[in-house]
Amino acid sequence: MEKTDIPTTESEWKSKLSPEKYHILREGGTERAFTGQYWDTKTKGVYKCAGCGQELFSSDTKYESGTGWPSFFEPMDPEKVETLPDNSYGMIRTEIRCANCGSHLGHVFPDGPQPTGLRYCVNSASLDLDPETGS
Ligand code: FE
C-alpha cells in the first residue's frame, strides 16, 4: 500500500477498521491474552501491518513466549517498527508502532530469546498473516 492510501483522519480509520482493531491500532489498546487470532499460529509466512499492509515480522522469528500474544525476536526490518517510551499504567515499557502508518502494535521487552534477547509482543489484531504458498 502506498503512503497516500493510509487514512489521514480518525473517521477514515474508523471506517477502515473494525471497532476492536480501531481500539488496538489507533488507541493503543490490548487484546486479552490467548484470545487473538495468531498467538498459537505456526503457519509459515509474513505478518503484515493490519493498518497499512507493510511487512513487519517473519514467521521464522516467531516463538512460543507463553504470554498468549504473538511474539517475535526481531522485526524483518528494524526501520519498519518504531519504538516509543510508554510509562502508562505505572510501568516502564517500550511501545512498538508500525513506522509506515503509526498504528500501535504492542510492546518490546528485553526478555526474549537469542540472538536478539528481545520479545516483540504484538496484538494479533495489529497483524495480517500472509501465508507462504508452497512451491
Ligand atoms: Fe502500518
Side-chain angles (χ1 to χ4, degrees):
M1 182 179 283
E2 296 299 318
K3 197 124 189 169
T4 50
D5 296 329
I6 299 170
T8 53
T9 66
E10 289 312 296
S11 67
E12 284 175 14
W13 277 111
K14 275 186 178 154
S15 61
K16 176 183 167 78
L17 301 171
S18 70
E20 187 209 12
K21 282 185 187 274
Y22 181 83
H23 175 61
I24 293 171
L25 273 67
R26 307 310 304 177
E27 298 179 328
T30 301
E31 70 200 14
R32 284 195 301 130
F34 302 102
T35 65
Q37 188 179 357
Y38 298 128
W39 71 271
D40 198 27
T41 300
K42 297 177 180 67
T43 307
K44 291 274 179 198
V46 172
Y47 289 85
K48 299 181 172 179
C49 174
C52 73
Q54 172 168 254
E55 296 187 344
L56 296 174
F57 297 98
S58 163
S59 60
D60 293 341
T61 65
K62 191 173 188 288
Y63 72 100
E64 292 186 45
S65 65
T67 60
W69 290 283
S71 301
F72 305 84
F73 61 77
E74 72 182 347
M76 291 176 69
D77 178 347
E79 303 242 306
K80 293 180 176 175
V81 176
E82 63 180 356
T83 58
L84 302 92
D86 174 8
N87 298 330
S88 63
Y89 301 103
M91 292 179 275
I92 298 172
R93 296 183 293 174
T94 302
E95 181 188 357
I96 47 176
R97 291 189 193 173
C98 171
N100 191 43
C101 74
S103 290
H104 174 74
L105 303 173
H107 292 86
V108 58
F109 300 93
D111 59 10
Q114 293 305 314
T116 62
L118 296 174
R119 170 170 57 99
Y120 288 79
C121 185
V122 187
N123 290 284
S124 297
S126 301
L127 300 171
D128 277 325
L129 174 58
D130 191 0
E132 208 169 85
T133 50
S135 57

